[in-house]
Amino acid sequence: WAPYPGLSLYVTARYGAGIVAALLIAFAVHEEREHIILWGLLIGAVFQALYALAQTLNGSALGLTFIGEIVWPEDNLFNMAERNFRAYGLTIHPNNLSGYLLVGLFASVYMLRLRWRTQRTLLSIIAYVIATGLFLTFSRLAVVAAGLVMIPLLLLFIDVRWRPPRSWVTWVVVAVLVGGVALLGYRLADVVIFRFVNVFIYRDPLPARVTLGFADAANVMLNNWQAGAGNGNLMILAGDDSTLSWRLLLPPHNVYVIVLAELGLPGLILFLSGITATVYGAVCYRRYPLANLWSYCLLAMLAIMLLDYYFWLDYRSNMLVWWVLGLYWGNASVATDD
């Protein structure tokens, strides 16, 4: 019943490819070969973080378009909506970069657990570089989500079977994370107010220009919440009904609303069932830190999905979700075998 069934098939095929990728990564974990994949992720994350640092020091894009950097014009909505420069590396937006670096930070902690005896200095440096890049994106959601889940993870990793390191490194990490959460946590209330109040009241002229497209997407959701408009159909239907320029159309910054609009109430129930399984995994595998780590990473992603959409609608960021699912499935399988 989707108005654009071809688009639904295409998006579903993309999700199918993500599931295949997750299964391949889970198999690599079971065969103890995931380090090959993770080193690739870490190298990319370090490069992006260093590039973000260079952009911040420059105060703008570096202009290296030949390696894929996007140089936004001054009148672009992305620049107009920001008070200060936010580093975005070679991605399309700072939020996309923050999501990538968030996964990279978890990957560095994962590798530290695996290679503590042989490569802890190198991996500690990598973790600090990635964390620095994450802060330079000024993505409040990603930083707060990372801090909230990393602190219990560090406490989880320090158990009777793995003696806590006596070096200052661990305590600096804890202090930085606690300080980051304390400094940036209060801004989360501002984000909530902006997303769920100003979007619909339009008090601020600039957010009104940027977020008027939410109203058209909300109409699609209200008209299709029972069975859904069809996978991938939300924004094209919003565009069909809108008098706004396509540049002003934005999807709802809440993945759960998007799922309800496209897949209906049955799809949302299935989606929430998957979240319940993830929360159960975080509890069930608390004695297996490697599996528990990726369940916490998924929980951080799910928290971000409450107030942003890039992990779901942007296929570049969406592929990271399948990567993390594969790492979680693989480590959960190993824990089950044990």
Side-chain angles (χ1 to χ4, degrees):
W1 58 84
Y4 297 90
L7 187 59
S8 291
L9 289 173
Y10 170 74
V11 174
T12 303
R14 291 295 298 263
Y15 291 152
I19 292 174
V20 171
L23 291 174
L24 290 174
I25 292 174
F27 178 78
V29 172
H30 203 271
E31 297 296 316
E32 298 183 355
R33 295 183 179 180
E34 74 275 22
H35 63 278
I36 300 174
I37 300 170
L38 291 176
W39 273 118
L41 175 64
L42 290 176
I43 291 171
V46 167
F47 176 79
Q48 291 278 13
L50 291 175
Y51 202 93
L53 176 60
Q55 287 178 328
T56 302
L57 293 175
N58 190 52
S60 64
L62 301 181
L64 303 181
T65 57
F66 63 93
I67 63 172
E69 183 183 29
I70 300 173
V71 180
W72 294 106
E74 292 298 324
D75 63 346
N76 187 272
L77 290 175
F78 163 62
N79 285 328
M80 292 173 63
E82 304 296 344
R83 296 187 182 93
N84 302 304
F85 178 76
R86 295 175 60 194
Y88 56 94
L90 299 184
T91 67
I92 196 171
H93 192 277
N95 290 346
N96 292 72
L97 178 60
S98 69
Y100 181 62
L101 295 180
L102 175 72
V103 178
L105 188 60
F106 275 90
S108 64
V109 175
Y110 180 89
M111 292 294 287
L112 266 169
R113 174 71 179 186
L114 288 179
R115 305 291 178 87
W116 177 258
R117 294 183 180 277
T118 58
Q119 297 175 323
R120 62 178 177 271
T121 301
L122 173 62
L123 289 167
S124 297
I125 294 173
I126 288 174
Y128 283 125
V129 171
I130 294 174
T132 300
L134 180 60
F135 274 99
L136 293 178
T137 66
F138 290 97
S139 176
R140 293 161 291 189
L141 287 175
V143 172
V144 170
L148 290 177
V149 299
M150 277 292 181
I151 292 172
L153 270 177
L154 286 173
L155 297 176
L156 177 74
F157 275 24
I158 301 174
D159 57 24
V160 295
R161 293 170 297 173
W162 185 59
R163 296 183 62 184
R166 297 180 179 178
S167 68
W168 55 269
V169 174
T170 298
W171 305 114
V172 170
V173 171
V174 173
V176 168
L177 289 173
V178 172
V181 172
L183 290 173
L184 298 172
Y186 80 97
R187 297 300 301 273
L188 190 60
D190 175 62
V191 176
V192 172
I193 292 173
F194 171 75
R195 299 299 188 202
F196 294 108
V197 178
N198 288 353
V199 163
F200 297 101
I201 297 180
Y202 311 133
R203 290 180 175 175
D204 190 333
L206 181 57
R209 290 184 56 201
V210 177
T211 58
L212 274 172
F214 285 146
D216 298 289
N219 290 333
V220 176
M221 180 200 69
L222 292 174
N223 293 329
N224 298 276
W225 65 269
Q226 300 93 335
N231 212 4
N233 277 240
L234 171 60
M235 291 314 297
I236 194 169
L237 290 176
D240 288 345
D241 296 337
S242 178
T243 58
L244 295 173
S245 164
W246 67 269
R247 295 180 69 212
L248 297 177
L249 281 172
L250 284 172
H253 280 47
N254 186 310
V255 169
Y256 306 90
V257 171
I258 296 171
V259 172
L260 180 63
E262 295 192 338
L263 304 180
L265 188 59
L268 181 61
I269 291 173
L270 287 173
F271 190 68
L272 294 176
S273 299
I275 295 174
T276 302
T278 303
V279 175
Y280 172 77
V283 176
C284 181
Y285 296 111
R286 61 186 182 277
R287 296 186 179 274
Y288 300 93
L290 295 181
N292 200 268
L293 182 147
W294 294 114
S295 68
Y296 273 82
C297 184
L298 282 171
L299 290 177
M301 289 177 157
L302 291 168
I304 291 173
M305 289 181 189
L306 282 168
L307 295 168
D308 218 325
Y309 63 85
Y310 58 91
F311 273 134
W312 189 256
L313 289 187
D314 191 310
Y315 295 125
R316 294 158 293 195
S317 296
N318 179 253
M319 187 54 66
L320 291 172
V321 178
W322 300 110
W323 273 52
V324 173
L325 270 173
L327 290 162
Y328 171 56
W329 289 343
N331 281 285
S333 175
V334 172
T336 302
D337 292 344
D338 293 342

